[in-house]
């Protein structure tokens, strides 16, 4: 992969990170990267280790975790705020990545993270497909 492709892929990744709450699909992201959708998906995975959809869902779940830690929004309000269109799909993906339901996560005591700067809290609680046990301990289980 050449440097110019990496720049374009980073532009699409930045769009996911910035516009996660808006409807995004692979064809639109591929246009940002000036690639065909299938080539974009392959190149994105090669560059970042996850598909564009996985990155989008991870970003949405990261933001959902932050909103749920605040405790002032319902799970449904958080679902809508992060751009998910189905509460059931959102809850299933959240549970898959975080290791517990959004309601259970919201009900936890997050006071240990209150004194941690947001950038570190985000890193400590970042959802991943592997290692949910480690995250649970870091997030104040």
């Amino acid at each position: 992969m050449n440097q110019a492709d990496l720049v374009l892929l980073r532009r699409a990744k930045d769009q996911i990170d910035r516009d996660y709450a808006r409807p995004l699909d692979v064809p639109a992201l591929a246009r940002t990267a000036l690639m065909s959708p299938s080539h974009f998906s392959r190149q994105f995975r090669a560059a970042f280790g996850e598909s564009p959809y996985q990155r989008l869902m991870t970003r949405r779940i990261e933001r959902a975790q932050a909103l749920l830690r605040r405790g002032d929004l319902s799970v449904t309000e958080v679902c809508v705020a992060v751009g998910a269109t189905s509460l059931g799909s959102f809850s299933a993906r959240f549970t898959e990545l975080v290791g517990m339901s959004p309601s259970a996560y919201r009900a936890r005591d997050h006071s240990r993270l209150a004194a941690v700067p947001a950038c570190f809290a985000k890193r400590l609680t970042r959802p991943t497909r592997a290692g949910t046990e480690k995250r649970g301990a870091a997030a104040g289980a």
Side-chain angles (χ1 to χ4, degrees), residues 28-62:
L29 293 167
R31 283 190 297 277
T32 298
L34 306 176
M35 298 177 186
S36 73
S38 57
H39 182 67
F40 169 72
S41 291
R42 284 190 304 272
Q43 294 296 92
F44 192 96
R45 182 182 288 280
F48 303 116
E50 60 187 346
S51 72
Y53 177 76
Q54 288 170 329
R55 176 64 193 164
L56 175 61
M57 291 310 297
T58 299
R59 182 65 187 106
R60 285 178 173 168
I61 299 302
E62 284 174 347

Side-chain angles (χ1 to χ4, degrees), residues 23-110:
L24 292 174
D25 58 18
V26 170
L29 293 167
R31 283 190 297 277
T32 298
L34 306 176
M35 298 177 186
S36 73
S38 57
H39 182 67
F40 169 72
S41 291
R42 284 190 304 272
Q43 294 296 92
F44 192 96
R45 182 182 288 280
F48 303 116
E50 60 187 346
S51 72
Y53 177 76
Q54 288 170 329
R55 176 64 193 164
L56 175 61
M57 291 310 297
T58 299
R59 182 65 187 106
R60 285 178 173 168
I61 299 302
E62 284 174 347
R63 183 64 184 141
Q65 285 180 288
L67 293 172
L68 290 167
R69 280 194 303 272
R70 277 188 357 201
D72 61 336
L73 297 175
S74 71
V75 172
T76 302
E77 290 170 321
V78 169
C79 172
V80 171
V82 300
T85 56
S86 162
L87 181 59
S89 296
F90 168 76
S91 294
R93 183 56 55 117
F94 189 99
T95 302
E96 174 189 334
L97 294 178
V98 178
M100 68 182 69
S101 70
S103 298
Y105 186 84
R106 183 179 185 268
R108 290 178 74 172
D109 177 14
H110 298 284

